[in-house]
Amino acid sequence: MLAILVLLAILIPVISPYDPSAQDLRAFLQPPSADHWLGTDQLGRDLFTRLIYAARTDLSIMVLAEIIPFCTGIFLGMLAGYYGKWMDNIISLVTDTFIAFPFYLIVIIVAFASGAGQRGIFITFMLVGWIVFARVTRGVTVSLRQQEWVASAQTLGLSGIRIMFRHILPNVLPQAVVVLMTDMVGLLVAIVTLGYLGIGIAPPTPDWGTMISDGQSFITTAWWLSAMPGLAVVYTGIALSLVGDGLADLWRRR
Amino acid sequence: MSMNPILEVEALTLSSRANPKLVHNVSFSIGKGETLGLVGESGSGKSLTLRAILGLLPQGIEQTGGQIKSSLSSAMVFQDPRGSLDPLCPVVKQLAEVISYRQGLSRKASHQAALELLEVLGLPLSLRQKDRYPSQLSGGQCQRVVIALALACKPGILLCDEPTTALDVTVQEQIIETISALQQELGFAMVFVTHNLAVASAMCSRLCVMRQGQIVEQGDTLSLLQAPQDAYTQMLINSVLPVPVLEGGEQR
Amino acid sequence: MSHGLHIKDLTVRYDGVTALDRIQLNIEEHTTLGLVGESGSGKSTLARVVAGLIVPDEGIISLGDEPLTRKRSRAQRKKIQMIFQNPDASLNPRLSIRQLLSEALLFHGIVRRSELEQRCLELLARVQIDGSALDRYPHEFSGGQRQRIAIARALSVEPELLIADEPTSALDVSVQLSVLELFSSLKQELNLTMLFISHDMGVIHAISDTVAVMRHGQLVEINSKDRFFARPDTAYGYQLLSAVPKMPAGTYSRRDTP
């Protein structure tokens, strides 16, 4: 499912005869047809093409904005879980404080502060995104730390950093990746929400959120304008969750 | 073997999808007040046999052959005493509940009966004043409570699955003595599963040696241990590490 | 008295509870001390302190002439290795046997890369595991085999002192016997000093030269093996020994002498 979407996003310039921003005012608000698979919008732009180009923006932002928090989160989580004591106290204090704030509140504040657009989303996620990973990793690390093989690695004289990366990391990764998948869904929804609110991706770059809000005014006459991007979000969300589940099963079997 | 067996297991076969012969063709019988030991290493099917008698097979395992005939009710004592008790319920209350359910007594009467039973099992009298949670008792005390729970059902057969394995030696000794004394008094029969031959020899009049789901040898405890016929039995006996006899004569 | 392990006034407290109370203990070089005691007596804590996994509140541990510092150097850690009770948890499930064995060898620069394979095979041979095991993972082995691999890994850094914390308690009796035999032969071949912990008197009798008894965090008796098993000095030692269930007389008559 995810593969289809990614493939489409990559191949779209080849498949589609239309330019996502090209306006064709003669063919505005057309219902789905053979020429325009999902119809056109109020400016006569092909909806299918825009939808997939939007997938390009949204998915790539999602992945990019998730990578750095993923790494820092795991690293900090392992530090907290492995070394405990003051290290754990500080890191846990920070994560708990952030968790106490409603997620969207932070996102909207930061987005306003840094101005709309991709930069806002990146900054927000650098700030908040790592929390989930740090918490999951910390929990897993604390329980792994009680395992005898960690103690035996310590008696072998291996350094703490080495034990963390060589021994604990491979055991933590499966859980973290599964969390990554669910977290990506959340992030995607956040990006789309921001776009919808008008503080996310700035037009004319196609984005599902802005597409939904643009289509809103025509909801009675051209329902597909809002419905299709909405369905795209649902589709991607389900795809990511399934990938997460699949990975979890795969790892459990080993 | 016994004249009037109260429990007969005939050609019992237990299977799961992966292994059709988890337990294969196991037969034995026990008379009133008798103790039979099932000994063997892990995976020999001894615990499964016990669970089949109790009628509590784990999911995915089915009885595919043979029959179990028993004229009396049975109750079981498990290996892990703490795991067999509800950690959120004080022990006297737990026991009283079982008594009132099984014997249909009033709350007050069952509470009284619970205290008496716990006293028989050698639990401290302080429980009379103040009930305690399982976490406040030692492992040995918990196991006594578990035995009390099993006895509250007035079973004709007590099934014991490694009841002393999780305990320290001194406590193990006390529990073995307690179980033996109760058996003398109440006259129930026992099936005793253990991997420890010395414990089995102290408890049981007859032994079945199990290996990979089958009984390889069975017979009278003393003659089986002194003159084993099967090579596997001999190997098990050889694996027991001897502890020399203390000087100055022992009572035991 | 310059060699072996020396422990002086060792004390460990957890949240106000004294887990170890001024322990004094010496293990002579190339001998095995069997440490017995019931659960909660502090024997595992003692093992972990000696292994450097728990930092003691007071007291000095020295190996040979060298007192072990609070924060141990790599060289100091290398000299003391430990085998744990639970064979399911003693090996990292995500590393192959080759990775497990070679890790410490490379980290400490004990062998060159070209000799690595050879060395791993030697280690496996030492614990009687077939060389084909190298590319397999811990879950493919039985409990006894995993315990052997854990021993091979501990031996890879050429320790002077080997601590074994109930290494055979989770194993079947027949497997237990063969693992104990392995310990005995390794002790002889490699001149190891051993601290062997068990609650099983039979195991202690089979492996020890000296026996130490712990109770409630204190060391109550240290005695030579023969004397302890015949005439223990303390009432507690006597109590422990007499509680061991015995096999009926005549059972051992056909036993081959080990």
Side-chain angles (χ1 to χ4, degrees):
Chain A
M1 250 173 116
L2 193 65
I4 297 176
L5 192 67
V6 172
L7 210 66
L8 272 178
I10 295 171
L11 294 179
I12 190 64
V14 188
I15 302 172
S16 169
Y18 305 97
D19 182 314
S21 310
Q23 304 180 359
D24 180 2
L25 290 174
R26 280 166 306 164
F28 73 101
L29 288 181
Q30 281 189 355
S33 65
D35 275 354
H36 300 281
W37 294 349
L38 296 178
T40 59
D41 66 4
Q42 73 277 17
L43 298 174
R45 294 174 293 196
D46 181 55
L47 190 62
F48 179 72
T49 313
R50 280 184 63 77
L51 201 64
I52 302 301
Y53 272 101
R56 266 189 157 181
T57 7
D58 287 341
L59 290 186
S60 56
I61 292 177
M62 176 184 86
V63 171
L64 288 177
E66 203 63 271
I67 288 175
I68 296 178
F70 181 69
C71 298
T72 46
I74 288 184
F75 182 67
L76 290 175
M78 282 201 302
L79 277 184
Y82 186 76
Y83 286 105
K85 299 193 182 142
W86 61 268
M87 190 91 84
D88 190 18
N89 289 340
I90 294 174
I91 295 175
S92 295
L93 188 74
V94 175
T95 54
D96 290 347
T97 316
F98 269 106
I99 287 225
F101 271 105
F103 172 69
Y104 278 98
L105 193 64
I106 307 181
V107 175
I108 293 172
I109 291 172
V110 178
F112 266 120
S114 61
Q118 301 193 2
R119 205 162 52 107
I121 294 171
F122 281 125
I123 294 176
T124 317
F125 264 81
M126 296 304 148
L127 275 176
V128 227
W130 61 275
I131 304 286
V132 198
F133 302 110
R135 281 182 71 95
V136 170
T137 312
R138 179 185 166 275
V140 179
T141 309
V142 165
S143 72
L144 288 174
R145 207 183 160 354
Q146 320 287 333
Q147 298 276 329
E148 290 173 345
W149 50 259
V150 174
S152 93
Q154 287 173 330
T155 54
L156 279 170
L158 306 176
S159 63
I161 293 290
R162 189 182 168 85
I163 293 175
M164 267 170 45
F165 281 96
R166 181 96 173 113
H167 291 262
I168 293 182
L169 186 61
N171 287 282
V172 168
L173 266 184
Q175 269 95 336
V177 170
V178 173
V179 173
L180 174 70
M181 290 299 155
T182 37
D183 200 51
M184 274 192 178
V185 180
L187 176 56
L188 179 72
V189 173
I191 296 172
V192 172
T193 310
L194 288 180
Y196 178 79
L197 294 175
I199 46 175
I201 316 291
T205 317
D207 156 69
W208 291 336
T210 37
M211 286 169 73
I212 295 177
S213 73
D214 286 350
Q216 213 174 16
S217 355
F218 308 96
I219 194 91
T220 44
T221 48
W223 55 269
W224 57 90
L225 286 186
S226 291
M228 290 307 162
L231 285 177
V233 175
V234 173
Y235 175 90
T236 318
I238 294 176
L240 284 170
S241 304
L242 286 178
V243 170
D245 275 358
L247 285 176
D249 282 350
L250 203 70
W251 266 306
R252 219 171 289 135
R253 230 171 288 138
R254 257 192 66 182
Chain B
M1 284 168 228
S2 333
M3 293 308 287
N4 290 314
I6 57 167
L7 171 74
E8 272 184 286
V9 174
E10 275 173 22
L12 178 72
T13 300
L14 301 175
S15 316
S16 71
R17 216 186 299 160
N19 184 352
K21 289 184 177 180
L22 281 172
V23 168
H24 186 59
N25 214 4
V26 162
S27 311
F28 55 80
S29 64
I30 311 170
K32 198 168 185 314
E34 202 185 0
T35 304
L36 175 83
L38 295 179
V39 296
E41 298 188 282
S42 53
S44 61
K46 52 192 195 310
S47 292
L48 277 181
T49 307
L50 208 60
R51 279 171 163 265
I53 298 173
L54 192 68
L56 269 184
L57 282 171
Q59 261 194 345
I61 296 176
E62 277 175 53
Q63 185 177 339
T64 48
Q67 46 183 188
I68 298 167
K69 279 187 248 162
S70 135
S71 52
L72 290 168
S73 67
S74 50
M76 183 137 164
V77 177
F78 293 92
Q79 174 171 358
D80 172 18
R82 263 179 232 283
S84 325
L85 294 172
D86 178 353
L88 295 178
C89 183
V91 292
V92 178
K93 197 170 157 222
Q94 247 177 88
L95 183 56
E97 244 168 46
V98 175
I99 292 176
S100 83
Y101 178 71
R102 294 297 284 244
Q103 302 175 13
L105 295 177
S106 72
R107 261 179 83 178
K108 224 173 172 181
S110 60
H111 189 79
Q112 193 54 38
L115 286 173
E116 275 165 23
L117 192 53
L118 288 173
E119 228 164 276
V120 171
L121 278 151
L123 278 152
L125 292 172
S126 61
L127 280 172
R128 231 172 231 289
Q129 279 90 50
K130 194 167 168 281
D131 207 346
R132 281 172 200 282
Y133 289 93
S135 59
Q136 294 168 308
L137 299 175
S138 70
Q141 287 172 326
C142 282
Q143 194 61 295
R144 285 167 199 268
V145 175
V146 173
I147 295 170
L149 280 170
L151 292 180
C153 311
K154 303 231 169 190
I157 308 157
L158 188 66
L159 308 171
C160 298
D161 189 0
E162 307 255 11
T164 62
T165 308
L167 305 174
D168 283 323
V169 271
T170 47
V171 183
Q172 163 171 293
E173 188 187 29
Q174 294 158 9
I175 294 284
I176 289 176
E177 275 166 14
T178 307
I179 296 180
S180 303
L182 285 170
Q183 193 184 18
Q184 294 262 311
E185 201 181 312
L186 304 172
F188 51 81
M190 259 202 294
V191 183
F192 199 93
V193 165
T194 178
H195 70 276
N196 188 326
L197 281 181
V199 171
S201 71
M203 294 293 297
C204 313
S205 49
R206 280 190 303 123
L207 289 183
C208 295
V209 181
M210 290 189 69
R211 184 193 192 188
Q212 292 168 1
Q214 290 181 304
I215 294 185
V216 294
E217 186 170 2
Q218 72 174 302
D220 182 60
T221 302
L222 211 57
S223 51
L224 185 134
L225 291 179
Q226 282 171 348
Q229 301 301 309
D230 188 88
Y232 181 71
T233 313
Q234 181 69 56
M235 194 278 295
L236 277 186
I237 294 171
N238 287 348
S239 303
V240 177
L241 297 160
V243 176
V245 181
L246 282 164
E247 279 180 20
E250 265 186 283
Q251 281 89 35
R252 273 161 50 85
Chain C
M1 284 290 281
S2 66
H3 293 288
L5 179 81
H6 309 290
I7 298 172
K8 216 174 157 191
D9 285 328
L10 194 68
T11 301
V12 171
R13 295 184 203 91
Y14 290 127
D15 315 314
V17 182
T18 308
L20 292 180
D21 189 8
R22 281 166 289 136
I23 301 289
Q24 307 269 5
L25 185 64
N26 294 309
I27 308 179
E28 299 283 329
E29 200 180 14
H30 310 328
T31 66
T32 298
L33 179 94
L35 188 59
V36 295
E38 307 204 328
S39 49
S41 62
K43 49 192 198 309
S44 285
T45 308
L46 179 58
R48 282 172 179 257
V49 173
V50 176
L53 295 171
I54 298 174
V55 179
D57 292 295
E58 285 158 37
I60 303 163
I61 303 170
S62 43
L63 188 63
D65 293 322
E66 188 186 7
L68 300 177
T69 43
R70 224 149 238 284
K71 191 142 177 17
R72 295 195 187 167
S73 67
R74 282 179 191 170
Q76 285 174 337
R77 283 199 182 271
K78 244 170 64 176
K79 286 185 187 168
I80 301 180
Q81 288 304 308
M82 183 157 172
I83 308 292
F84 297 87
Q85 171 172 7
N86 186 350
D88 296 337
S90 56
L91 300 172
N92 186 341
R94 299 208 174 268
L95 297 184
S96 71
I97 306 304
R98 180 195 302 276
Q99 289 170 318
L100 285 166
L101 288 178
S102 52
E103 180 174 32
L105 288 173
L106 292 174
F107 186 82
H108 291 292
I110 296 170
V111 294
R112 266 175 283 143
R113 240 169 221 288
S114 54
E115 297 159 5
L116 191 61
E117 171 103 10
Q118 187 53 35
R119 192 61 218 273
C120 288
L121 289 173
E122 280 169 25
L123 285 168
L124 283 181
R126 180 142 262 160
V127 295
Q128 294 145 26
I129 297 272
D130 191 68
S132 63
L134 272 185
D135 290 308
R136 294 204 272 159
Y137 284 83
H139 67 91
E140 296 174 58
F141 296 90
S142 70
Q145 287 171 319
R146 264 183 263 177
Q147 213 54 319
R148 285 167 188 272
I149 294 166
I151 296 170
R153 188 162 189 247
L155 293 178
S156 70
V157 293
E158 292 155 11
E160 290 174 22
L161 175 73
L162 191 63
I163 304 168
D165 186 2
E166 306 259 9
T168 61
S169 313
L171 306 175
D172 273 329
V173 278
S174 55
V175 183
Q176 161 169 302
L177 194 64
S178 69
V179 171
L180 282 180
E181 276 162 9
L182 176 67
F183 270 111
S184 304
S185 65
L186 288 175
K187 182 176 83 175
Q188 301 227 315
E189 286 167 33
L190 304 174
N191 271 333
L192 288 171
T193 308
M194 268 213 287
L195 171 60
F196 200 102
I197 297 174
S198 182
H199 67 275
D200 186 321
M201 290 297 173
V203 170
I204 292 292
H205 183 259
I207 196 96
S208 317
D209 302 308
T210 317
V211 178
V213 185
M214 281 192 76
R215 186 188 200 188
H216 304 325
Q218 289 180 318
L219 212 52
V220 293
E221 177 166 356
I222 305 176
N223 223 329
S224 74
K225 172 174 87 174
D226 293 337
R227 192 176 153 88
F228 176 75
F229 279 96
R231 278 169 281 120
D233 287 342
T234 55
Y236 183 62
Y238 190 87
Q239 196 191 337
L240 275 182
L241 281 174
S242 56
V244 177
K246 305 286 188 304
M247 293 287 277
T251 313
Y252 292 123
S253 54
R254 286 153 56 122
R255 187 186 162 84
D256 326 338
T257 36

